[in-house]
Amino acid sequence: MTSPLRLRIILGEDDARKLILPAGTPVSIEDLCHTVKTSFGLQQDIRLQYQDEDFGNEFMNMSDVSEVKDKGTLKVIFLQSPQEENVRTSQSQATESVSISSADTDDTEPISSSGSSPSSRHWVWPSVFTVPQFSYEAEFELEKANTACANGGTLLNPSPKLKSQILERLAEEIYKFKAYPTDSDLTDVAEALVKKHPCLREQGSFNGCYGWKISLKYKMANLRTKLRGLGCTEVTINSIKNKSGDNRQAAFNVKKPKRAEVNYCPQHPKGQTSESLEQERVAILSELTKRNNDSVVSAKMEKTFSYRRQEVLQGQPMVADFKSRWPALFTAREASVVKMHLDVACNLCFVVQN
DNA sequence: TAGGATATTGATATCCGACG
DNA sequence: CGTCGGATATCAATATCCTA
């Protein structure tokens, strides 16, 4: 009765993943959606489509769990636009759900699970890390070694080139979720790697992949260094040069997103710089004096979101200063926006308390 | 709350392949 | 042959987390 269900889940173009439901058919569609979301770390709400035999296996909206078949394929449809998703700090932190009318959608990044924009994150760390496809060359070599491994039990000692390719691709995948993965995150990845490619298992390592974890750690640290050099805000915020006065120590107060926090430290919108956004901030001050001008103010507030975030993360401003710089944030109409800046508020409270 | 384990950045060492 | 650059690895100094 409860034989496990094996499903193919299509998350996007060129991105299909395997999902195993040990308990068999889920109790409800909601239950299944929830499982899919947590398994693959999807932050957005989704619905599912199944392949209907009556219509040449076209994808149709699911209406009943009986449509889920072992070895069936389900397609994930994301419900919210990425713009709306961007604006929320996180679902777990927001105490009330806040609906935002998205202003201009000019620079909306298409949400595709395979090619996400480097400036924003839509995913939380998945409960099961999916090892990505490597280059054709690397996959070929691994497949050959996996076969040899299955037959004779011989492990592969990867060439520096292969190892580098593997680390590079894994780091890219990890970075989609986190710039600062924890030790256990990296253990997840290393374990997933040697599970998918048994030839990469390490002899003499207590869990068979300790070395991979260490290498991934180095890789991520070096990746951050590289991105820091390129001016990626999320990591430059933690560079020594950006630390003030007495805090000039590497490991002091490393800023990273809180649990499940999305869009923690976004890059500025395309074509915008700190200088141009500072001008926008000044413009907001004068726009505020006009009547019936809410939509203009809201649009400019949304546009300057990244700038405000950096101000808070970098400077820990005094609440009075911040309020005088961004009065629109404290008006009744923008009260909901304050919720979206929840950790802004937390930081400010912290400053006030001290 | 003390202290050991582990994490951070940034500088640097080591290795290796590409290139002239 | 030398040297340049990229990738991986190591180090120092320090902060923070975890456990007892």
Side-chain angles (χ1 to χ4, degrees), chain A residues 218-320:
Chain A
Y218 292 144
K219 182 69 196 178
M220 291 309 291
N222 288 322
L223 175 63
R224 285 192 296 267
T225 302
K226 207 192 288 182
L227 289 168
R228 213 173 289 122
L230 261 37
C232 171
T233 45
E234 184 173 21
V235 291
T236 45
I237 235 164
N238 291 318
S239 70
I240 288 273
K241 294 181 192 74
N242 276 312
K243 298 193 182 197
S244 52
D246 302 332
N247 301 337
R248 289 185 164 272
Q249 287 112 17
F252 179 77
N253 195 14
V254 174
K255 289 158 182 158
K256 49 187 110 169
K258 298 184 179 66
R259 192 178 149 70
E261 186 177 16
V262 177
N263 212 27
Y264 152 79
C265 181
Q267 298 288 118
H268 294 324
K270 284 198 197 82
Q272 298 294 328
T273 62
S274 293
E275 289 71 32
S276 70
L277 291 173
E278 170 64 15
Q279 286 173 16
E280 284 290 315
R281 183 190 71 78
V282 175
I284 293 172
L285 296 180
S286 60
E287 295 292 345
L288 266 178
T289 62
K290 300 176 187 167
R291 297 165 69 90
N292 298 326
N293 203 24
D294 288 347
S295 61
V296 173
V297 170
S298 295
K300 286 188 184 301
M301 284 299 282
E302 191 167 327
K303 191 172 175 184
T304 49
F305 179 83
S306 59
Y307 181 53
R308 220 156 38 242
R309 295 288 298 136
Q310 284 182 31
E311 197 169 301
V312 169
L313 286 169
Q314 229 159 351
Q316 283 209 340
M318 296 299 288
V319 69

Side-chain angles (χ1 to χ4, degrees), chain A residues 22-56:
Chain A
T25 307
V27 292
S28 66
I29 294 179
E30 291 72 33
D31 179 45
L32 179 58
C33 283
H34 183 257
T35 307
V36 170
K37 281 173 69 178
T38 52
S39 299
F40 303 127
L42 308 179
Q43 183 82 358
Q44 288 173 275
D45 283 328
I46 58 167
R47 60 187 175 81
L48 295 170
Q49 292 186 327
Y50 73 105
Q51 287 181 299
D52 193 309
E53 290 174 19
D54 294 342
F55 296 96

